[in-house]
């Protein structure tokens, strides 16, 4: 059995919601173990918003997570046609995509995927238990072929060269490590934080004070101006992002 739990098309309006129906995978049947397992809402440490566009792209399309981390993906459809985000191995995704081409009307409701109608959003809560790479794709007919895919790199070590090619000075693949810094300014509305930071090794960036976009505004509730923090910085599409932040002393 591959990506199962195919449901009938009846509840079209319902697909924008998350995959409520698929409680059957909790604990896994084996097939999903390679990519992790459905996450529990109580264990969510971080929310990542993924935008789906009619240009057949995910933004971001390269996401870095820690091994064991439970991520809540807010999956937005900014396009005018239906899209979906499905997590899987490349093999699973390809097989599923072929099945979708033969049965374009089918809807699925596994925990590892969400189908989203135009202008709507849905969510996936997923725990990444194995180091390595988990692929994701839109399996709507034609979309995968058009390049609508991405990857989650699990384990703090990027295995995808294209991620590091974004960093002009990247000469080697550096492990993603927490960087120490101090909060200088928080702009909650804009989702921005200004950090005076030490060397950011994974971006090959010397210490300085910089403005970062946070991947989730709620991260800004955890810290205040003047706090010493540890954070993970990333660079995607030329923008500097903070994907995780926490008080440096743990206490708070
Ligand atoms: Cu799509």
């Amino acid at each position: 059995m591959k990506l199962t739990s195919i449901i009938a098309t009846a509840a079209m309006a319902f697909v924008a919601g998350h995959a409520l129906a698929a409680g059957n995978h909790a604990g896994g049947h084996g097939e999903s173990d390679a990519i992790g397992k459905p996450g529990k809402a109580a264990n969510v440490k971080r929310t990542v918003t993924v935008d789906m566009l009619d240009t057949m792209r995910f933004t971001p399309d390269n996401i870095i997570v820690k091994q064991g981390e439970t991520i809540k993906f807010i999956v937005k459809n900014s396009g005018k046609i239906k899209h979906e985000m499905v997590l899987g191995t490349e093999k699973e995704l390809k097989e599923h995509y072929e099945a979708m081409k033969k049965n374009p009307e089918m809807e699925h409701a596994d925990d590892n995927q969400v189908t989203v109608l135009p202008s709507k959003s849905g969510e996936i809560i997923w725990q990444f238990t194995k180091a390595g790479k988990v692929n994701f794709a839109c399996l709507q007919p034609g979309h995968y072929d058009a390049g609508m895919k991405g990857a989650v790199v699990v384990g703090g070590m990027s295995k995808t060269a294209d991620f590091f090619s974004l960093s002009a000075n990247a000469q080697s693949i550096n492990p993603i490590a927490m960087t120490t810094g101090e909060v200088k300014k928080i702009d909650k509305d804009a989702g921005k934080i200004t950090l005076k930071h030490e060397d950011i090794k994974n971006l090959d960036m010397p210490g300085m004070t910089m403005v970062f976009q946070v991947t989730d505004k709620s991260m800004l509730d955890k810290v205040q101006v003047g706090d010493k923090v540890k954070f993970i910085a990333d660079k995607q599409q030329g923008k500097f992002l903070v994907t995780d932040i926490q008080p440096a002393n743990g206490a708070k």
Side-chain angles (χ1 to χ4, degrees):
M1 222 163 51
K2 300 298 168 210
L3 300 162
T4 51
S5 305
I6 294 153
I7 59 167
T9 53
M12 283 290 287
F14 191 65
V15 288
H18 65 240
L20 289 169
N24 57 335
H25 269 200
H29 289 187
E31 76 273 22
S32 290
D33 292 356
I35 63 163
K37 60 185 185 183
K40 295 194 184 80
N43 296 335
V44 171
K45 291 268 159 50
R46 187 151 69 93
T47 300
V48 175
T49 300
V50 177
D51 210 356
M52 303 191 291
L53 309 167
D54 288 349
T55 51
M56 304 300 165
R57 290 294 179 268
F58 289 98
T59 311
D61 61 4
N62 199 322
I63 299 160
I64 294 170
V65 305
K66 287 173 273 189
Q67 190 174 3
E69 197 175 16
T70 298
I71 301 286
K72 175 164 152 182
F73 294 97
I74 304 286
V75 185
K76 272 171 53 186
N77 185 348
S78 296
K80 294 188 164 55
I81 55 173
K82 188 163 72 175
H83 293 289
E84 62 194 358
M85 179 176 177
V86 186
L87 295 162
T89 63
E90 203 158 17
K91 180 166 172 280
E92 282 170 339
L93 292 173
K94 276 186 181 146
E95 284 170 0
H96 198 180
Y97 181 59
E98 291 308 316
M100 284 284 288
K101 275 207 273 201
K102 286 177 201 134
N103 308 284
E105 73 287 358
M106 86 183 186
E107 304 289 347
H108 28 264
D110 277 301
D111 290 342
N112 64 326
Q113 73 90 41
V114 65
T115 305
V116 186
L117 294 174
S119 310
K120 302 281 190 212
S121 66
E123 66 181 52
I124 299 173
I125 298 179
W126 198 256
Q127 186 180 14
F128 294 91
T129 53
K130 277 207 176 139
K133 190 166 96 167
V134 174
N135 294 284
F136 60 87
C138 177
L139 304 183
Q140 291 293 310
H143 295 203
Y144 187 42
D145 288 335
M148 192 158 181
K149 53 186 137 181
V152 178
V153 177
V154 186
M157 178 77 82
S158 178
K159 296 196 166 126
T160 49
D162 56 339
F163 164 69
F164 278 97
S165 69
L166 290 170
S167 172
N169 296 321
Q171 282 153 2
S172 60
I173 292 185
N174 300 317
I176 305 293
M178 300 290 278
T179 303
T180 304
E182 184 186 332
V183 180
K184 291 304 212 183
K185 194 177 160 197
I186 293 174
D187 183 344
K188 184 114 204 267
D189 290 338
K192 286 180 176 166
I193 187 164
T194 306
L195 293 164
K196 180 169 191 274
H197 62 78
E198 297 179 347
D199 294 1
I200 304 176
K201 298 206 169 60
N202 57 292
L203 296 178
D204 202 15
M205 172 167 303
M208 61 177 81
T209 301
M210 266 176 69
V211 181
F212 295 86
Q213 192 83 38
V214 292
T215 47
D216 175 20
K217 287 182 186 178
S218 73
M219 283 162 39
L220 299 177
D221 295 332
K222 297 192 289 184
V223 294
Q224 291 173 12
V225 171
D227 281 357
K228 299 267 190 264
V229 294
K230 283 184 189 292
F231 65 99
I232 294 180
D234 192 2
K235 189 180 180 189
Q236 289 175 7
Q237 268 102 34
K239 281 202 301 196
F240 289 100
L241 303 173
V242 167
T243 60
D244 192 12
I245 191 164
Q246 52 188 248
N249 303 323
K252 203 179 152 63

